Amino acid sequence: MLNIVIFGAPGSGKGTQSARIVEKYGLNHISTGDVLRAEIKNGTELGKTAKGYIDQGQLLPDELIIDILASVLDSFKESKGVIFDGFPRTIAQAEALKAMLKERKQEVSVMLDLEVPEDELMTRLIKRGQESGRADDNEETIKKRLTVYHSQTSPLIDWYKADGKYQHINGLGTMDGIFGDIVASIEKL
Ligand code: AMP
Protein backbone atom coordinates (compact mmCIF):
# COMPACT_ATOMS: atom_id res chain seq x y z
CA MET A 1 0.00 0.00 0.00
CA LEU A 2 1.50 3.29 -1.12
CA ASN A 3 0.01 6.32 0.62
CA ILE A 4 1.63 9.55 -0.51
CA VAL A 5 1.05 13.05 0.79
CA ILE A 6 2.01 15.51 -1.92
CA PHE A 7 2.78 18.76 -0.21
CA GLY A 8 3.75 22.30 -1.17
CA ALA A 9 2.53 25.87 -1.45
CA PRO A 10 -0.21 26.79 -3.92
CA GLY A 11 1.35 26.67 -7.39
CA SER A 12 4.11 24.22 -6.42
CA GLY A 13 2.90 21.64 -8.96
CA LYS A 14 1.06 19.20 -6.68
CA GLY A 15 -1.79 18.59 -9.13
CA THR A 16 0.46 18.14 -12.16
CA GLN A 17 2.80 15.72 -10.42
CA SER A 18 -0.09 13.84 -8.75
CA ALA A 19 -1.54 13.02 -12.16
CA ARG A 20 1.77 11.50 -13.22
CA ILE A 21 2.16 9.52 -9.99
CA VAL A 22 -1.39 8.18 -10.40
CA GLU A 23 -0.61 7.10 -13.94
CA LYS A 24 2.64 5.35 -13.00
CA TYR A 25 1.58 3.67 -9.76
CA GLY A 26 -2.17 3.18 -10.25
CA LEU A 27 -3.10 5.01 -7.05
CA ASN A 28 -6.38 6.64 -6.11
CA HIS A 29 -6.17 10.43 -6.02
CA ILE A 30 -7.85 12.78 -3.56
CA SER A 31 -7.56 16.49 -4.26
CA THR A 32 -9.65 18.30 -1.66
CA GLY A 33 -9.55 21.44 -3.82
CA ASP A 34 -11.00 19.50 -6.79
CA VAL A 35 -13.71 17.98 -4.57
CA LEU A 36 -14.71 21.45 -3.37
CA ARG A 37 -14.68 22.97 -6.85
CA ALA A 38 -16.97 20.14 -8.06
CA GLU A 39 -19.35 20.87 -5.15
CA ILE A 40 -19.39 24.56 -6.12
CA LYS A 41 -20.08 23.67 -9.75
CA ASN A 42 -22.97 21.44 -8.69
CA GLY A 43 -24.43 24.17 -6.52
CA THR A 44 -24.59 22.02 -3.35
CA GLU A 45 -24.85 23.38 0.19
CA LEU A 46 -21.26 22.27 0.82
CA GLY A 47 -20.26 24.08 -2.37
CA LYS A 48 -21.88 27.30 -1.17
CA THR A 49 -20.07 27.09 2.15
CA ALA A 50 -16.77 26.22 0.45
CA LYS A 51 -16.99 29.13 -1.98
CA GLY A 52 -17.00 31.66 0.83
CA TYR A 53 -13.69 30.34 2.16
CA ILE A 54 -12.04 29.69 -1.20
CA ASP A 55 -12.80 33.17 -2.56
CA GLN A 56 -11.21 34.65 0.56
CA GLY A 57 -8.14 32.44 0.23
CA GLN A 58 -8.93 30.91 3.64
CA LEU A 59 -8.96 27.27 4.70
CA LEU A 60 -12.23 25.47 5.36
CA PRO A 61 -12.74 24.40 8.99
CA ASP A 62 -10.82 21.24 9.85
CA GLU A 63 -13.90 19.21 10.90
CA LEU A 64 -15.60 19.85 7.58
CA ILE A 65 -12.64 18.93 5.41
CA ILE A 66 -11.77 15.88 7.55
CA ASP A 67 -15.35 14.55 7.07
CA ILE A 68 -15.07 15.04 3.32
CA LEU A 69 -11.73 13.27 3.26
CA ALA A 70 -13.06 10.31 5.26
CA SER A 71 -16.01 9.79 2.94
CA VAL A 72 -13.84 9.94 -0.20
CA LEU A 73 -11.37 7.51 1.39
CA ASP A 74 -14.20 5.08 2.17
CA SER A 75 -15.35 5.18 -1.45
CA PHE A 76 -12.07 3.58 -2.63
CA LYS A 77 -12.30 -0.19 -2.80
CA GLU A 78 -9.41 -2.54 -3.58
CA SER A 79 -7.04 0.40 -3.52
CA LYS A 80 -3.29 0.12 -4.15
CA GLY A 81 -2.89 3.31 -2.17
CA VAL A 82 -3.84 6.94 -2.26
CA ILE A 83 -2.19 10.20 -3.18
CA PHE A 84 -3.35 13.00 -0.91
CA ASP A 85 -3.15 16.31 -2.78
CA GLY A 86 -3.98 19.51 -0.88
CA PHE A 87 -4.63 17.59 2.34
CA PRO A 88 -3.49 17.79 5.10
CA ARG A 89 -3.10 21.56 5.36
CA THR A 90 -3.06 21.90 9.16
CA ILE A 91 -1.59 19.87 12.00
CA ALA A 92 -5.12 18.87 13.09
CA GLN A 93 -5.71 17.46 9.60
CA ALA A 94 -2.40 15.57 9.66
CA GLU A 95 -3.30 14.04 13.02
CA ALA A 96 -6.75 13.09 11.71
CA LEU A 97 -5.23 11.49 8.62
CA LYS A 98 -2.82 9.48 10.73
CA ALA A 99 -5.69 8.23 12.91
CA MET A 100 -7.91 7.47 9.90
CA LEU A 101 -5.20 5.41 8.23
CA LYS A 102 -4.34 3.65 11.48
CA GLU A 103 -7.97 2.54 11.83
CA ARG A 104 -7.55 0.98 8.39
CA LYS A 105 -4.23 -0.61 9.45
CA GLN A 106 -2.35 1.72 7.12
CA GLU A 107 -0.04 4.70 7.31
CA VAL A 108 1.43 7.50 5.21
CA SER A 109 4.38 6.06 3.27
CA VAL A 110 6.00 9.39 2.47
CA MET A 111 5.34 13.13 2.44
CA LEU A 112 6.85 14.75 -0.65
CA ASP A 113 7.49 18.47 -0.13
CA LEU A 114 7.67 20.27 -3.46
CA GLU A 115 9.66 23.39 -2.71
CA VAL A 116 9.38 26.36 -5.09
CA PRO A 117 10.58 29.95 -4.47
CA GLU A 118 7.86 32.50 -3.71
CA ASP A 119 8.35 34.69 -6.82
CA GLU A 120 8.01 31.63 -9.06
CA LEU A 121 4.80 30.59 -7.24
CA MET A 122 3.28 34.02 -7.91
CA THR A 123 4.23 33.90 -11.60
CA ARG A 124 2.80 30.40 -12.04
CA LEU A 125 -0.48 31.16 -10.24
CA ILE A 126 -1.12 34.40 -12.10
CA LYS A 127 -0.50 32.56 -15.39
CA ARG A 128 -2.83 29.72 -14.30
CA GLY A 129 -5.52 32.27 -13.43
CA GLN A 130 -5.29 33.80 -16.89
CA GLU A 131 -5.42 30.42 -18.60
CA SER A 132 -7.96 28.52 -16.50
CA GLY A 133 -10.00 31.37 -15.07
CA ARG A 134 -9.77 29.81 -11.58
CA ALA A 135 -11.43 32.43 -9.40
CA ASP A 136 -8.89 32.25 -6.56
CA ASP A 137 -5.90 32.65 -8.90
CA ASN A 138 -5.93 36.45 -8.78
CA GLU A 139 -3.12 38.47 -7.24
CA GLU A 140 -4.96 39.50 -4.08
CA THR A 141 -6.26 36.02 -3.23
CA ILE A 142 -2.95 34.40 -4.16
CA LYS A 143 -1.18 36.61 -1.60
CA LYS A 144 -3.68 35.57 1.08
CA ARG A 145 -3.29 31.88 0.18
CA LEU A 146 0.48 32.15 0.45
CA THR A 147 0.16 33.83 3.87
CA VAL A 148 -2.19 31.05 5.00
CA TYR A 149 0.29 28.49 3.66
CA HIS A 150 3.13 29.98 5.71
CA SER A 151 1.14 30.34 8.92
CA GLN A 152 -1.10 27.25 8.95
CA THR A 153 0.32 24.72 6.50
CA SER A 154 4.13 24.97 6.50
CA PRO A 155 4.38 23.82 10.18
CA LEU A 156 3.53 20.39 8.74
CA ILE A 157 7.08 20.20 7.39
CA ASP A 158 8.46 19.79 10.91
CA TRP A 159 5.50 17.58 11.89
CA TYR A 160 6.27 15.10 9.08
CA LYS A 161 10.02 15.31 9.79
CA ALA A 162 9.28 14.29 13.37
CA ASP A 163 7.07 11.49 12.05
CA GLY A 164 9.95 10.24 9.87
CA LYS A 165 8.02 10.63 6.61
CA TYR A 166 9.47 13.84 5.18
CA GLN A 167 11.12 13.97 1.77
CA HIS A 168 12.24 17.21 0.14
CA ILE A 169 11.76 17.62 -3.63
CA ASN A 170 13.14 20.58 -5.58
CA GLY A 171 10.01 21.86 -7.33
CA LEU A 172 11.92 24.11 -9.69
CA GLY A 173 12.91 22.60 -13.02
CA THR A 174 11.28 20.69 -15.84
CA MET A 175 8.15 18.63 -15.21
CA ASP A 176 10.03 15.48 -16.24
CA GLY A 177 13.02 16.29 -14.05
CA ILE A 178 10.84 16.86 -10.99
CA PHE A 179 8.87 13.69 -11.69
CA GLY A 180 12.17 11.78 -11.97
CA ASP A 181 13.14 12.97 -8.47
CA ILE A 182 9.70 11.96 -7.14
CA VAL A 183 9.98 8.48 -8.64
CA ALA A 184 13.48 8.10 -7.16
CA SER A 185 12.08 8.97 -3.70
CA ILE A 186 9.21 6.52 -4.06
CA GLU A 187 11.46 3.72 -5.30
CA LYS A 188 13.64 4.13 -2.21
CA LEU A 189 10.70 3.35 0.12
P1 AMP B 1 -6.32 23.82 -3.82
O1 AMP B 1 -6.98 23.49 -5.11
O2 AMP B 1 -5.73 22.61 -3.15
O3 AMP B 1 -5.32 24.94 -3.93
O4 AMP B 1 -7.48 24.32 -2.82
C1 AMP B 1 -8.23 25.48 -3.12
C2 AMP B 1 -8.92 26.00 -1.86
O5 AMP B 1 -9.79 24.98 -1.32
C3 AMP B 1 -7.99 26.37 -0.72
O6 AMP B 1 -7.47 27.68 -0.85
C4 AMP B 1 -8.94 26.25 0.48
O7 AMP B 1 -9.82 27.35 0.56
C5 AMP B 1 -9.77 25.02 0.11
N1 AMP B 1 -9.15 23.77 0.59
C6 AMP B 1 -8.62 22.76 -0.18
N2 AMP B 1 -8.09 21.80 0.58
C7 AMP B 1 -8.27 22.18 1.86
C8 AMP B 1 -7.90 21.61 3.12
N3 AMP B 1 -7.23 20.45 3.20
N4 AMP B 1 -8.25 22.31 4.25
C9 AMP B 1 -8.91 23.46 4.18
N5 AMP B 1 -9.28 24.06 3.03
C10 AMP B 1 -8.95 23.44 1.87
Side-chain angles (χ1 to χ4, degrees):
M1 198 67 91
L2 190 57
N3 291 314
I4 299 173
V5 171
I6 189 137
F7 186 84
S12 57
K14 299 188 293 292
T16 308
Q17 295 297 338
S18 289
R20 303 188 66 167
I21 299 170
V22 165
E23 194 187 344
K24 183 167 172 71
Y25 294 100
L27 305 181
N28 290 112
H29 177 213
I30 303 183
S31 156
T32 42
D34 284 351
V35 171
L36 299 173
R37 281 183 290 277
E39 295 284 336
I40 294 173
K41 201 165 159 218
N42 294 331
T44 64
E45 278 308 309
L46 172 59
K48 284 176 199 154
T49 306
K51 188 170 167 29
Y53 291 97
I54 293 177
D55 287 352
Q56 292 303 313
Q58 299 297 328
L59 298 182
L60 270 78
D62 285 328
E63 317 77 68
L64 196 59
I65 205 89
I66 289 165
D67 281 353
I68 296 170
L69 204 275
S71 65
V72 180
L73 201 54
D74 283 336
S75 72
F76 298 147
K77 308 278 180 246
E78 311 276 320
S79 180
K80 287 187 190 166
V82 177
I83 177 145
F84 297 92
D85 165 7
F87 182 99
R89 262 178 156 99
T90 62
I91 291 191
Q93 292 180 20
E95 282 169 350
L97 178 62
K98 187 168 183 165
M100 250 185 264
L101 290 175
K102 196 170 178 198
E103 269 173 31
R104 293 163 177 80
K105 308 217 174 336
Q106 292 181 45
E107 60 177 7
V108 165
S109 315
V110 68
M111 183 267 222
L112 301 172
D113 176 24
L114 283 172
E115 198 191 7
V116 174
E118 196 97 355
D119 53 344
E120 171 71 10
L121 294 171
M122 276 304 279
T123 309
R124 286 187 192 179
L125 289 166
I126 288 170
K127 185 158 173 263
R128 187 171 78 184
Q130 286 160 351
E131 287 167 359
S132 74
R134 221 179 102 163
D136 57 346
D137 283 341
N138 63 75
E139 198 165 338
E140 196 193 330
T141 315
I142 293 167
K143 284 190 179 143
K144 282 192 199 153
R145 285 158 63 208
L146 290 174
T147 305
V148 166
Y149 170 77
H150 290 299
S151 60
Q152 291 178 259
T153 306
S154 67
L156 284 176
I157 293 175
D158 282 342
W159 194 92
Y160 276 106
K161 279 182 183 166
D163 209 31
K165 306 292 183 190
Y166 180 84
Q167 182 67 53
H168 176 265
I169 303 283
N170 179 3
L172 205 55
T174 63
M175 264 198 278
D176 285 346
I178 298 164
F179 185 60
D181 290 348
I182 288 176
V183 169
S185 285
I186 295 174
E187 300 295 328
K188 267 195 309 201
L189 293 172

mmCIF file of all heavy atoms in Angstrom, residues 10 14 31-34 36-37 53-54 57-60 65 85-89 93 128 134 136 145, ligand 1:
data_model
loop_
_atom_site.group_PDB
_atom_site.id
_atom_site.type_symbol
_atom_site.label_atom_id
_atom_site.label_comp_id
_atom_site.label_asym_id
_atom_site.label_seq_id
_atom_site.Cartn_x
_atom_site.Cartn_y
_atom_site.Cartn_z
ATOM 1 N N PRO A 10 0.597 26.685 -2.702
ATOM 2 C CA PRO A 10 -0.212 26.790 -3.922
ATOM 3 C C PRO A 10 0.716 27.111 -5.095
ATOM 4 O O PRO A 10 1.609 27.953 -4.959
ATOM 5 C CB PRO A 10 -1.143 27.989 -3.643
ATOM 6 C CG PRO A 10 -1.149 28.164 -2.159
ATOM 7 C CD PRO A 10 0.161 27.626 -1.655
ATOM 8 N N LYS A 14 1.610 20.417 -7.297
ATOM 9 C CA LYS A 14 1.060 19.201 -6.682
ATOM 10 C C LYS A 14 0.110 18.460 -7.621
ATOM 11 O O LYS A 14 0.184 17.245 -7.757
ATOM 12 C CB LYS A 14 0.283 19.537 -5.384
ATOM 13 C CG LYS A 14 1.126 20.183 -4.307
ATOM 14 C CD LYS A 14 0.358 20.303 -2.987
ATOM 15 C CE LYS A 14 -0.821 21.262 -3.020
ATOM 16 N NZ LYS A 14 -0.446 22.671 -3.162
ATOM 17 N N SER A 31 -7.901 15.065 -4.328
ATOM 18 C CA SER A 31 -7.557 16.489 -4.262
ATOM 19 C C SER A 31 -8.729 17.174 -3.588
ATOM 20 O O SER A 31 -9.825 17.244 -4.161
ATOM 21 C CB SER A 31 -7.340 17.058 -5.665
ATOM 22 O OG SER A 31 -7.565 18.461 -5.639
ATOM 23 N N THR A 32 -8.530 17.658 -2.362
ATOM 24 C CA THR A 32 -9.646 18.295 -1.655
ATOM 25 C C THR A 32 -10.114 19.548 -2.405
ATOM 26 O O THR A 32 -11.301 19.833 -2.457
ATOM 27 C CB THR A 32 -9.273 18.608 -0.189
ATOM 28 O OG1 THR A 32 -7.937 19.120 -0.149
ATOM 29 C CG2 THR A 32 -9.369 17.377 0.678
ATOM 30 N N GLY A 33 -9.173 20.257 -3.029
ATOM 31 C CA GLY A 33 -9.551 21.439 -3.818
ATOM 32 C C GLY A 33 -10.473 21.053 -4.974
ATOM 33 O O GLY A 33 -11.490 21.716 -5.218
ATOM 34 N N ASP A 34 -10.148 19.953 -5.675
ATOM 35 C CA ASP A 34 -11.000 19.500 -6.792
ATOM 36 C C ASP A 34 -12.381 19.082 -6.286
ATOM 37 O O ASP A 34 -13.393 19.357 -6.930
ATOM 38 C CB ASP A 34 -10.365 18.301 -7.527
ATOM 39 C CG ASP A 34 -9.205 18.713 -8.427
ATOM 40 O OD1 ASP A 34 -8.998 19.928 -8.626
ATOM 41 O OD2 ASP A 34 -8.497 17.808 -8.923
ATOM 42 N N LEU A 36 -13.946 20.239 -3.713
ATOM 43 C CA LEU A 36 -14.710 21.452 -3.367
ATOM 44 C C LEU A 36 -15.162 22.205 -4.615
ATOM 45 O O LEU A 36 -16.302 22.678 -4.685
ATOM 46 C CB LEU A 36 -13.874 22.366 -2.464
ATOM 47 C CG LEU A 36 -13.454 21.752 -1.119
ATOM 48 C CD1 LEU A 36 -12.486 22.677 -0.387
ATOM 49 C CD2 LEU A 36 -14.670 21.452 -0.249
ATOM 50 N N ARG A 37 -14.291 22.284 -5.619
ATOM 51 C CA ARG A 37 -14.681 22.967 -6.854
ATOM 52 C C ARG A 37 -15.833 22.231 -7.545
ATOM 53 O O ARG A 37 -16.733 22.862 -8.107
ATOM 54 C CB ARG A 37 -13.482 23.146 -7.800
ATOM 55 C CG ARG A 37 -12.586 24.330 -7.389
ATOM 56 C CD ARG A 37 -11.443 24.567 -8.357
ATOM 57 N NE ARG A 37 -10.434 23.519 -8.293
ATOM 58 C CZ ARG A 37 -9.449 23.473 -7.392
ATOM 59 N NH1 ARG A 37 -9.296 24.427 -6.505
ATOM 60 N NH2 ARG A 37 -8.584 22.476 -7.399
ATOM 61 N N TYR A 53 -15.072 30.457 1.687
ATOM 62 C CA TYR A 53 -13.692 30.344 2.164
ATOM 63 C C TYR A 53 -12.698 30.459 1.005
ATOM 64 O O TYR A 53 -11.698 31.165 1.105
ATOM 65 C CB TYR A 53 -13.481 28.994 2.876
ATOM 66 C CG TYR A 53 -14.205 28.889 4.191
ATOM 67 C CD1 TYR A 53 -15.446 28.275 4.291
ATOM 68 C CD2 TYR A 53 -13.635 29.415 5.357
ATOM 69 C CE1 TYR A 53 -16.106 28.178 5.505
ATOM 70 C CE2 TYR A 53 -14.293 29.326 6.575
ATOM 71 C CZ TYR A 53 -15.527 28.703 6.647
ATOM 72 O OH TYR A 53 -16.176 28.615 7.848
ATOM 73 N N ILE A 54 -12.984 29.740 -0.079
ATOM 74 C CA ILE A 54 -12.035 29.693 -1.202
ATOM 75 C C ILE A 54 -11.822 31.088 -1.790
ATOM 76 O O ILE A 54 -10.695 31.498 -2.049
ATOM 77 C CB ILE A 54 -12.523 28.690 -2.280
ATOM 78 C CG1 ILE A 54 -12.467 27.271 -1.715
ATOM 79 C CG2 ILE A 54 -11.687 28.794 -3.554
ATOM 80 C CD1 ILE A 54 -12.987 26.185 -2.644
ATOM 81 N N GLY A 57 -9.476 33.028 0.081
ATOM 82 C CA GLY A 57 -8.138 32.444 0.226
ATOM 83 C C GLY A 57 -7.919 31.800 1.582
ATOM 84 O O GLY A 57 -6.788 31.561 1.997
ATOM 85 N N GLN A 58 -9.018 31.508 2.302
ATOM 86 C CA GLN A 58 -8.926 30.914 3.644
ATOM 87 C C GLN A 58 -9.163 29.409 3.590
ATOM 88 O O GLN A 58 -9.807 28.909 2.655
ATOM 89 C CB GLN A 58 -9.985 31.544 4.566
ATOM 90 C CG GLN A 58 -9.832 33.043 4.750
ATOM 91 C CD GLN A 58 -8.515 33.429 5.418
ATOM 92 O OE1 GLN A 58 -7.988 32.693 6.246
ATOM 93 N NE2 GLN A 58 -7.976 34.572 5.026
ATOM 94 N N LEU A 59 -8.713 28.715 4.616
ATOM 95 C CA LEU A 59 -8.957 27.269 4.697
ATOM 96 C C LEU A 59 -10.355 27.000 5.234
ATOM 97 O O LEU A 59 -10.853 27.737 6.089
ATOM 98 C CB LEU A 59 -7.946 26.610 5.629
ATOM 99 C CG LEU A 59 -6.473 26.704 5.236
ATOM 100 C CD1 LEU A 59 -5.626 25.950 6.246
ATOM 101 C CD2 LEU A 59 -6.235 26.165 3.829
ATOM 102 N N LEU A 60 -10.966 25.914 4.762
ATOM 103 C CA LEU A 60 -12.235 25.470 5.360
ATOM 104 C C LEU A 60 -11.946 24.939 6.765
ATOM 105 O O LEU A 60 -10.833 24.487 7.033
ATOM 106 C CB LEU A 60 -12.853 24.340 4.517
ATOM 107 C CG LEU A 60 -13.790 24.817 3.410
ATOM 108 C CD1 LEU A 60 -13.000 25.322 2.231
ATOM 109 C CD2 LEU A 60 -14.718 23.690 2.983
ATOM 110 N N ILE A 65 -13.504 19.520 6.434
ATOM 111 C CA ILE A 65 -12.642 18.935 5.407
ATOM 112 C C ILE A 65 -12.245 17.500 5.795
ATOM 113 O O ILE A 65 -12.108 16.627 4.943
ATOM 114 C CB ILE A 65 -11.418 19.862 5.133
ATOM 115 C CG1 ILE A 65 -10.876 19.642 3.722
ATOM 116 C CG2 ILE A 65 -10.320 19.736 6.132
ATOM 117 C CD1 ILE A 65 -11.498 20.478 2.686
ATOM 118 N N ASP A 85 -3.603 15.093 -2.095
ATOM 119 C CA ASP A 85 -3.152 16.314 -2.780
ATOM 120 C C ASP A 85 -3.958 17.498 -2.223
ATOM 121 O O ASP A 85 -5.162 17.585 -2.430
ATOM 122 C CB ASP A 85 -3.389 16.063 -4.290
ATOM 123 C CG ASP A 85 -3.343 17.293 -5.167
ATOM 124 O OD1 ASP A 85 -2.995 18.375 -4.688
ATOM 125 O OD2 ASP A 85 -3.673 17.138 -6.366
ATOM 126 N N GLY A 86 -3.276 18.369 -1.485
ATOM 127 C CA GLY A 86 -3.981 19.508 -0.884
ATOM 128 C C GLY A 86 -4.558 19.173 0.486
ATOM 129 O O GLY A 86 -5.309 19.967 1.061
ATOM 130 N N PHE A 87 -4.236 18.041 1.009
ATOM 131 C CA PHE A 87 -4.633 17.589 2.338
ATOM 132 C C PHE A 87 -3.515 16.696 2.851
ATOM 133 O O PHE A 87 -3.062 15.843 2.100
ATOM 134 C CB PHE A 87 -5.941 16.781 2.279
ATOM 135 C CG PHE A 87 -6.439 16.330 3.631
ATOM 136 C CD1 PHE A 87 -7.437 17.035 4.287
ATOM 137 C CD2 PHE A 87 -5.894 15.210 4.251
ATOM 138 C CE1 PHE A 87 -7.879 16.636 5.547
ATOM 139 C CE2 PHE A 87 -6.329 14.814 5.510
ATOM 140 C CZ PHE A 87 -7.322 15.527 6.149
ATOM 141 N N PRO A 88 -3.078 16.812 4.094
ATOM 142 C CA PRO A 88 -3.494 17.785 5.105
ATOM 143 C C PRO A 88 -2.889 19.181 4.884
ATOM 144 O O PRO A 88 -1.841 19.320 4.264
ATOM 145 C CB PRO A 88 -2.948 17.175 6.397
ATOM 146 C CG PRO A 88 -1.752 16.385 5.972
ATOM 147 C CD PRO A 88 -2.057 15.870 4.604
ATOM 148 N N ARG A 89 -3.574 20.179 5.436
ATOM 149 C CA ARG A 89 -3.096 21.560 5.362
ATOM 150 C C ARG A 89 -2.936 22.181 6.742
ATOM 151 O O ARG A 89 -2.536 23.350 6.837
ATOM 152 C CB ARG A 89 -4.099 22.396 4.573
ATOM 153 C CG ARG A 89 -3.742 22.602 3.095
ATOM 154 C CD ARG A 89 -4.871 23.395 2.473
ATOM 155 N NE ARG A 89 -4.538 24.148 1.305
ATOM 156 C CZ ARG A 89 -4.792 23.745 0.056
ATOM 157 N NH1 ARG A 89 -5.291 22.550 -0.180
ATOM 158 N NH2 ARG A 89 -4.538 24.543 -0.943
ATOM 159 N N GLN A 93 -5.385 18.346 10.737
ATOM 160 C CA GLN A 93 -5.713 17.463 9.601
ATOM 161 C C GLN A 93 -4.698 16.317 9.489
ATOM 162 O O GLN A 93 -5.062 15.183 9.184
ATOM 163 C CB GLN A 93 -5.752 18.257 8.293
ATOM 164 C CG GLN A 93 -6.911 19.244 8.206
ATOM 165 C CD GLN A 93 -6.922 20.030 6.898
ATOM 166 O OE1 GLN A 93 -6.322 19.639 5.903
ATOM 167 N NE2 GLN A 93 -7.618 21.167 6.907
ATOM 168 N N ARG A 128 -1.753 30.715 -14.362
ATOM 169 C CA ARG A 128 -2.830 29.720 -14.302
ATOM 170 C C ARG A 128 -4.182 30.411 -14.268
ATOM 171 O O ARG A 128 -5.132 29.977 -14.915
ATOM 172 C CB ARG A 128 -2.646 28.824 -13.070
ATOM 173 C CG ARG A 128 -3.630 27.667 -13.019
ATOM 174 C CD ARG A 128 -3.288 26.682 -11.923
ATOM 175 N NE ARG A 128 -3.693 27.170 -10.615
ATOM 176 C CZ ARG A 128 -3.449 26.539 -9.456
ATOM 177 N NH1 ARG A 128 -2.775 25.410 -9.462
ATOM 178 N NH2 ARG A 128 -3.862 27.032 -8.325
ATOM 179 N N ARG A 134 -9.475 30.193 -12.958
ATOM 180 C CA ARG A 134 -9.771 29.808 -11.580
ATOM 181 C C ARG A 134 -9.902 31.059 -10.725
ATOM 182 O O ARG A 134 -8.998 31.883 -10.668
ATOM 183 C CB ARG A 134 -8.632 28.915 -11.059
ATOM 184 C CG ARG A 134 -9.147 27.756 -10.238
ATOM 185 C CD ARG A 134 -8.013 26.904 -9.760
ATOM 186 N NE ARG A 134 -7.723 27.180 -8.371
ATOM 187 C CZ ARG A 134 -7.017 26.385 -7.595
ATOM 188 N NH1 ARG A 134 -6.502 25.279 -8.090
ATOM 189 N NH2 ARG A 134 -6.799 26.678 -6.347
ATOM 190 N N ASP A 136 -9.799 31.861 -7.640
ATOM 191 C CA ASP A 136 -8.887 32.251 -6.556
ATOM 192 C C ASP A 136 -7.457 32.475 -7.046
ATOM 193 O O ASP A 136 -6.580 32.775 -6.246
ATOM 194 C CB ASP A 136 -8.925 31.231 -5.400
ATOM 195 C CG ASP A 136 -8.603 29.808 -5.837
ATOM 196 O OD1 ASP A 136 -8.607 29.532 -7.060
ATOM 197 O OD2 ASP A 136 -8.343 28.975 -4.956
ATOM 198 N N ARG A 145 -3.519 33.331 0.111
ATOM 199 C CA ARG A 145 -3.292 31.880 0.181
ATOM 200 C C ARG A 145 -1.854 31.565 0.584
ATOM 201 O O ARG A 145 -1.603 30.613 1.309
ATOM 202 C CB ARG A 145 -3.646 31.234 -1.162
ATOM 203 C CG ARG A 145 -5.166 31.152 -1.358
ATOM 204 C CD ARG A 145 -5.549 31.044 -2.820
ATOM 205 N NE ARG A 145 -5.065 29.850 -3.457
ATOM 206 C CZ ARG A 145 -4.802 29.759 -4.760
ATOM 207 N NH1 ARG A 145 -5.000 30.797 -5.550
ATOM 208 N NH2 ARG A 145 -4.392 28.630 -5.273
HETATM 209 P P1 AMP B 1 -6.322 23.817 -3.816
HETATM 210 O O1 AMP B 1 -6.979 23.494 -5.110
HETATM 211 O O2 AMP B 1 -5.734 22.611 -3.146
HETATM 212 O O3 AMP B 1 -5.315 24.936 -3.927
HETATM 213 O O4 AMP B 1 -7.477 24.325 -2.818
HETATM 214 C C1 AMP B 1 -8.235 25.478 -3.122
HETATM 215 C C2 AMP B 1 -8.917 25.997 -1.865
HETATM 216 O O5 AMP B 1 -9.788 24.985 -1.316
HETATM 217 C C3 AMP B 1 -7.986 26.374 -0.719
HETATM 218 O O6 AMP B 1 -7.465 27.681 -0.854
HETATM 219 C C4 AMP B 1 -8.942 26.248 0.483
HETATM 220 O O7 AMP B 1 -9.822 27.345 0.561
HETATM 221 C C5 AMP B 1 -9.775 25.022 0.107
HETATM 222 N N1 AMP B 1 -9.145 23.766 0.588
HETATM 223 C C6 AMP B 1 -8.616 22.763 -0.177
HETATM 224 N N2 AMP B 1 -8.093 21.800 0.575
HETATM 225 C C7 AMP B 1 -8.266 22.183 1.863
HETATM 226 C C8 AMP B 1 -7.903 21.613 3.118
HETATM 227 N N3 AMP B 1 -7.234 20.454 3.201
HETATM 228 N N4 AMP B 1 -8.248 22.306 4.245
HETATM 229 C C9 AMP B 1 -8.915 23.459 4.184
HETATM 230 N N5 AMP B 1 -9.275 24.057 3.032
HETATM 231 C C10 AMP B 1 -8.947 23.437 1.869
#
